[in-house]
Amino acid sequence: MSHHPLFDLTGKVALVTGATHGIGMAMAKGLGSAGATIVVNGHSSQEKIDKAVAEYEADGYKAFGYKFDVTKEDQVIAAVDKIEKEVGPIDILVNNAGIIKRVPMLEMPVEEFQQVIDTDLVGVFTMTRPVAKKMVERKQGKIINICSMMSELGRDSVGAYAAAKGGLKMLTRNMATEWARHNVQVNGIGPGYFATSQTAPIRVEGNPLNEFIISRTPAGKWGDPDDLQGAAVFLSSKASDFVTGQIVYVDGGILATIGKPANE
Ligand code: GCO
Ligand code: CA
């Protein structure tokens, strides 16, 4: 396949954390279709990682899988060294791995709050630091942090997630600030509401929240994970070399509007 030179990722190595499923997998496939070699990680099951790698390969992409936990610094450092030796220098890092707990704050134990912050915010710092060190040395790199509607908006029951994703927006800006002079661009993608396993508990018929999301989204529907591929390729490619510290919201218009009454 031939690629527009601004968007060509041929020969680039892209590490997409948590890309064994969901939006991470969709974005990784987008990078693969632009020519990148995909590296995925998972932290729990080797079988899940192997299955994902097989799926990428079946789709015609070069893919590699590594088992490590983004919240464990020793595992991350060892994995980054291994990936750079076995696959090649990491050109693109997509910090996609994350968790959510939907619990009203008055009922949320501090330990659970902490767990969400540890994965969704501290985990990004832990994962990025050793990768960025090498990118800075090489004077080249692309980092994409996966933010959320909750980087901007609150919602009942997602206090810890909103705190982490709001923090991630500012971590993105600060990484951009410190590394732009080394030709490392750091941006975020803020997905709106997408049909994935993460939102499966919301997308059940009869759940008023399902109807609410559809009516609150100007596009009038749940996003298809593939809708994130364009932003992922743009922010990974030469096309975005003077773009840094931005969050690109791919949300069907949610953040543009206050919304409208249901049934209108
Ligand atoms: C929620 C959460 C997530 C969303 C997403 C929105 O409302 O329960 O925010 O489920 O998937 O992060 O951008
Ligand atoms: Ca190609």
Side-chain angles (χ1 to χ4, degrees):
M1 216 215 273
S2 74
H3 304 285
H4 189 289
L6 282 176
F7 298 96
D8 188 6
L9 302 180
T10 304
K12 302 285 184 190
V13 173
L15 168 58
V16 187
T17 64
T20 51
H21 62 284
I23 63 169
M25 181 172 249
M27 290 186 290
K29 286 184 180 182
L31 302 184
S33 70
T37 297
I38 301 161
V39 182
V40 298
N41 96 303
H43 74 284
S44 50
S45 125
Q46 184 64 45
E47 200 191 320
K48 210 176 158 188
I49 297 168
D50 295 344
K51 244 185 91 186
V53 169
E55 181 173 335
Y56 288 119
E57 287 175 342
D59 284 5
Y61 309 128
K62 255 190 234 155
F64 299 84
Y66 289 85
K67 184 162 177 271
F68 63 91
D69 184 338
V70 298
T71 67
K72 305 266 166 19
E73 192 183 16
D74 51 339
Q75 289 184 29
V76 169
I77 288 171
V80 169
D81 279 342
K82 219 166 166 229
I83 293 165
E84 295 230 333
K85 270 194 204 95
E86 295 174 357
V87 186
I90 299 166
D91 301 291
I92 300 155
L93 169 64
V94 183
N95 286 305
N96 163 78
I99 58 168
I100 189 165
K101 288 182 188 288
R102 297 184 179 97
V103 185
M105 285 192 286
L106 294 182
E107 287 152 36
M108 188 172 221
V110 172
E111 299 72 48
E112 273 190 27
F113 187 92
Q114 188 93 54
Q115 209 189 325
V116 175
I117 302 287
D118 279 349
T119 305
D120 295 359
L121 181 57
V122 186
V124 173
F125 180 69
T126 307
M127 178 73 249
T128 302
R129 216 164 66 104
V131 175
K133 239 180 212 166
K134 294 178 191 283
M135 287 177 168
V136 163
E137 277 167 24
R138 294 192 286 262
K139 297 265 175 243
Q140 186 177 305
K142 298 281 185 181
I143 297 167
I144 303 174
N145 294 329
I146 303 309
C147 297
S148 163
M149 290 294 93
M150 275 75 232
S151 298
E152 301 290 340
L153 301 170
R155 186 173 88 71
D156 277 10
S157 84
V158 296
Y161 185 80
K165 294 296 189 177
L168 186 54
K169 174 180 68 178
M170 284 313 301
L171 182 62
T172 302
R173 290 177 178 164
N174 221 85
M175 287 174 168
T177 302
E178 293 193 19
W179 302 332
R181 74 198 72 148
H182 303 293
N183 193 35
V184 175
Q185 289 82 45
V186 188
N187 291 286
I189 293 176
Y193 280 81
F194 281 80
T196 64
S197 59
Q198 196 249 36
T199 57
I202 300 175
R203 280 178 298 105
V204 281
E205 229 185 295
N207 182 350
L209 194 51
N210 182 36
E211 299 302 310
F212 169 72
I213 294 298
I214 293 167
S215 78
R216 178 67 184 76
T217 305
K221 59 181 181 188
W222 284 86
D224 173 338
D226 290 353
D227 292 338
L228 291 162
Q229 291 180 335
V233 170
F234 170 61
L235 295 176
S236 297
S237 67
K238 205 175 155 30
S240 61
D241 276 359
F242 203 53
V243 179
T244 198
Q246 297 297 314
I247 313 297
V248 178
Y249 290 102
V250 181
D251 67 352
I254 292 175
L255 292 180
T257 185
I258 192 171
K260 59 175 174 49
N263 312 321
E264 255 180 46

